[in-house]
């Protein structure tokens, strides 16, 4: 079994505690049921502008989950349109400040900057992944959608999703263990 990731399975129900975060390890499968929030780079920029101006944020971040997604409009009879992850690196300039506000979980795809990984370790947070291209499947886990803030941004507004059994994998844990760093080396030819 050398080189095989040991994957544990976890259920998360927001709000997320520091204890919840500590038990998650890179490679673990995490299923989420409960309220999560969406935000992409335009919304992140506005959140940071509000913080810098000393204004209250339009949502409480302590113990929360942000999914980096801009859902497509729902077709008639559906709760949500496709909701696949966007590239997380676009949020990296804003992420440490949001982690300082108590954000515990981020969901997206792609690598994170060293600054974000360091902030995750400092503030106790994890980064979960959803495979790109699974947007229609992800939409099936979404049971309710409301716009929370920045409605003028359309799909990039901050939404509140109620999800049931949204399946993710821990890409980077709160100790800084990063699947993007550890796993590729196992598959390179020597």
């Amino acid at each position: 079994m050398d080189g095989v990731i040991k994957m544990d399975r976890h259920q998360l129900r927001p709000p997320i505690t520091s204890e919840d975060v500590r038990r998650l390890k890179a490679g673990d499968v995490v299923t989420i049921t409960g309220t999560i929030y969406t935000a992409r780079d335009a919304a992140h920029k506005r959140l940071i502008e509000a913080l810098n101006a000393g204004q209250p944020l339009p949502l409480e971040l302590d113990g929360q989950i942000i999914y980096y997604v801009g859902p497509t409009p729902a077709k008639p009879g559906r709760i949500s349109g496709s909701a696949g992850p966007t590239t997380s690196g676009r949020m990296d300039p804003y992420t440490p400040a949001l982690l300082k506000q108590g954000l515990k979980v981020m969901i997206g795809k792609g690598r994170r900057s060293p600054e974000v990984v360091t902030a995750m370790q400092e503030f106790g947070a994890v980064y979960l992944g959803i495979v790109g291209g699974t947007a229609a499947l992800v939409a099936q886990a979404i049971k309710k959608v409301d716009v929370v803030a920045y409605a003028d941004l359309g799909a990039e507004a901050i939404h509140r999703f109620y999800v049931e059994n949204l399946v993710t994998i821990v890409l980077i844990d709160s100790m800084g263990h990063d699947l993007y760093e550890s796993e590729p080396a196992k598959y390179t030819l020597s």
Side-chain angles (χ1 to χ4, degrees), residues 106-178:
M106 300 154 291
I107 305 172
K109 67 177 182 180
R111 293 179 179 267
R112 304 310 299 266
S113 70
E115 294 80 14
V116 169
V117 176
T118 297
M120 289 171 58
Q121 292 172 285
E122 180 180 353
F123 298 111
V126 295
Y127 173 49
L128 307 179
I130 293 178
V131 176
T134 60
L137 292 174
V138 171
Q140 293 176 12
I142 301 167
K143 304 303 179 186
K144 186 176 179 186
V145 176
D146 298 304
V147 174
V148 172
Y150 315 137
D152 61 300
L153 295 176
E156 291 201 36
I158 296 177
H159 295 81
R160 179 179 31 242
F161 283 178
Y162 183 82
V163 298
E164 291 179 358
N165 300 314
L166 177 65
V167 180
T168 66
I169 186 167
V170 180
L171 296 176
I172 305 173
D173 64 30
S174 63
M175 299 301 293
H177 301 117
D178 184 343

Side-chain angles (χ1 to χ4, degrees), residues 25-44:
K25 304 299 177 208
D28 287 354
V29 174
V30 177
T31 304
I32 302 167
T33 296
T35 298
I36 66 174
Y37 295 91
T38 71
R40 288 180 48 158
D41 34 327
H44 275 71

Side-chain angles (χ1 to χ4, degrees), residues 1 7 15 19 33 36 49 64 88 109 129 136 138 141 159 181 184:
M1 303 265 328
M7 285 192 252
E19 182 180 316
T33 296
I36 66 174
E49 288 170 349
Q64 297 305 318
S88 302
K109 67 177 182 180
V138 171
H159 295 81
E181 297 297 324

Side-chain angles (χ1 to χ4, degrees), residues 39-42 44-45 68-70 85-95 109 111-112 156:
R40 288 180 48 158
D41 34 327
H44 275 71
K45 183 178 183 217
Y68 303 143
V69 63
T86 195
T87 303
S88 302
R90 294 199 320 257
M91 275 51 77
D92 283 359
Y94 314 110
T95 299
K109 67 177 182 180
R111 293 179 179 267
R112 304 310 299 266
E156 291 201 36

